[in-house]
Amino acid sequence: MNADITDIALRQLAEQVAQTAIAQHHRLVSAESCTGGWIAKSLTDVSGASDWFECGMTAYSYEAKQALLGVQPHTLEEHGAVSRETVMEMVSGALVHSGATAAVAVTGIAGPTGGTEDKPVGTVWIAWKRRGGYPTAVVFHFDGDRDAIRRQTVAAALHGLIELMS
């Protein structure tokens, strides 16, 4: 993914998500950690978002992930916040705790600190799920500074929403 994703590119992706959600009669929810609500912001920048966007949940801490999204303490202790297991529970919890029909969840290390040898800065897990379906999760290794990593995460999340709903 391109590290130089512009606001215009994100706006265009959000508009595609909106068109797809409307065409497929979906209501969306986002569960975000490393993006800090940027996915929800991108989607609600589109006029008429109240017709297809349900809510966004920003859960940065372990406690918030548990309280808002139902992530199990054992999952966080065993696998950490930046893991396939955690993002799968986040995306499922977002659907459980909302009236949405499609969800995206993200958790990662945007840097510049926080990375480890096993999970370097730029490691991001994204999951998508339709109500009644099974979640899918993908790990990404983005390059660049904090802003670039977050932009790439938002773009990948939006691309995945379009695929999920199509």
Side-chain angles (χ1 to χ4, degrees):
M1 178 139 318
N2 183 350
D4 298 321
I5 295 168
T6 65
D7 289 342
I8 293 168
L10 291 178
R11 173 65 182 230
Q12 291 170 339
L13 276 172
E15 288 172 353
Q16 284 182 266
V17 170
Q19 292 166 1
T20 308
I22 291 165
Q24 299 298 323
H25 309 288
H26 277 290
R27 288 191 62 81
L28 307 181
V29 60
S30 64
E32 304 180 59
S33 187
C34 64
T35 48
W38 201 337
I39 295 167
K41 183 233 184 282
S42 295
L43 294 174
T44 58
D45 280 349
V46 178
S47 180
S50 60
D51 292 339
W52 49 268
F53 185 75
E54 181 78 18
C55 62
M57 301 172 205
T58 302
Y60 227 69
S61 70
Y62 276 26
E63 294 78 12
K65 286 176 178 65
Q66 293 171 48
L68 295 175
L69 299 167
V71 175
Q72 297 298 308
H74 177 266
T75 302
L76 293 165
E77 291 165 12
E78 177 118 349
H79 304 284
V82 181
S83 65
R84 179 181 188 277
E85 293 79 6
T86 295
V87 81
M88 297 278 270
E89 288 186 20
M90 288 173 67
V91 78
S92 295
L95 285 171
V96 167
H97 296 286
S98 73
T101 59
V104 61
V106 300
T107 185
I109 304 164
T113 62
T116 65
E117 191 172 313
D118 290 346
K119 298 176 187 178
V121 169
T123 303
V124 176
W125 279 95
I126 306 178
W128 301 268
K129 183 178 179 181
R130 291 171 78 151
R131 186 170 295 282
Y134 294 101
T136 58
V138 177
V139 65
F140 294 87
H141 299 282
F142 297 126
D143 292 320
D145 63 13
R146 183 175 182 82
D147 188 67
I149 290 166
R150 293 174 79 200
R151 284 178 181 276
Q152 291 169 86
T153 302
V154 173
L158 297 178
H159 276 294
L161 278 173
I162 294 164
E163 289 179 26
L164 176 75
M165 295 184 293
S166 296

